Amino acid sequence: MSRILIISGHPDLSASVANAAILAHVARELPEAEIRRLDALYPDYQFDIEAEQSALLAADIIVFQFPFSWYAMPGLMKLWLDKVFLHGFSHGSNGRLGGKKLLLSFTTSAPAAAYQKDGAFGHTVEDYLPQFATTTALCSLDYQGAVYTNGVSYSARDDAAAVAAQQQLAVEHAQRVLAKLNALAA
């Protein structure tokens, strides 16, 4: 059985609807997966580098779970990447992560219509992903693409029906992640 590690990069998962629901669903369905909540483990942003690197080394499949923030990963997760993915560990002639599979799983606040060439942002979601593929290539990781869900905005939190819709989208997202993980682990 493949060992699965999920790194949750949400800066405050307790304030999340979709990312919290995604992780809760995956945890129920895949209890053997290790989920590392960076916000809970490191509220002071002082990472235990050895623990994080050990968790990465023990995994066969790594999932980065996060809300898309300024068209990338949130600051907490980016700082974690900067501190943990060090030359000689993650990359370089002595890099130790080679061959592990990496899957991105994220949510966007903006709806899918905004992520169109003729939409508000003028770019698709995929246009924002090359830096992830480049990072995985540098680290000799096996990039497995992205599972993402659009339209889970904080602005809808005062509407119970909108929150319920976001929770349903999160369950559907989690099911897509689980299907991908099952295929990768086979």
Side-chain angles (χ1 to χ4, degrees):
M1 181 69 181
S2 295
R3 294 165 300 196
I4 299 169
L5 172 66
I6 301 170
I7 304 294
S8 168
H10 196 294
D12 183 5
L13 201 61
S14 66
S16 170
V17 171
N19 278 261
I22 291 165
L23 287 169
H25 189 82
V26 170
R28 275 192 307 277
E29 298 296 317
L30 200 63
E32 64 275 13
E34 179 182 0
I35 299 175
R36 297 185 67 79
R37 282 189 51 192
L38 298 181
D39 67 322
L41 289 168
Y42 307 110
D44 60 359
Y45 287 40
Q46 299 301 308
F47 303 106
D48 181 339
I49 306 304
E50 186 175 323
E52 295 305 309
Q53 290 179 344
S54 292
L56 289 162
L57 289 173
D60 300 305
I61 302 168
I62 302 163
V63 179
F64 286 176
Q65 175 65 51
F66 58 94
F68 216 44
S69 177
W70 291 105
Y71 318 104
M73 62 178 56
L76 172 63
M77 188 170 228
K78 176 59 169 77
L79 183 61
W80 174 86
L81 189 74
D82 289 344
K83 299 291 186 182
V84 175
F85 277 56
L86 300 174
H87 184 269
F89 169 72
S90 63
H91 61 287
S93 60
N94 295 318
R96 299 170 60 198
L97 296 181
K100 296 177 186 296
K101 296 174 179 154
L102 178 72
L103 175 67
L104 301 180
S105 172
F106 61 89
T107 59
T108 74
S109 182
Y115 287 102
Q116 304 299 320
K117 294 291 184 191
D118 61 350
F121 303 142
H123 296 279
T124 67
V125 169
E126 289 76 15
D127 289 341
Y128 296 101
L129 301 183
Q131 71 270 21
F132 296 104
T134 302
T135 299
T136 56
L138 175 68
C139 298
S140 299
L141 291 162
D142 184 3
Y143 183 53
Q144 298 298 311
V147 174
Y148 62 89
T149 297
N150 301 111
V152 290
S153 174
Y154 280 96
S155 64
R157 299 295 165 84
D158 295 333
D159 179 349
V163 170
Q166 286 185 17
Q167 289 171 329
Q168 181 57 41
L169 286 172
V171 168
E172 292 167 8
H173 179 110
Q175 290 169 339
R176 288 184 289 135
V177 169
L178 288 165
K180 183 77 171 180
L181 291 173
N182 286 331
L184 292 173

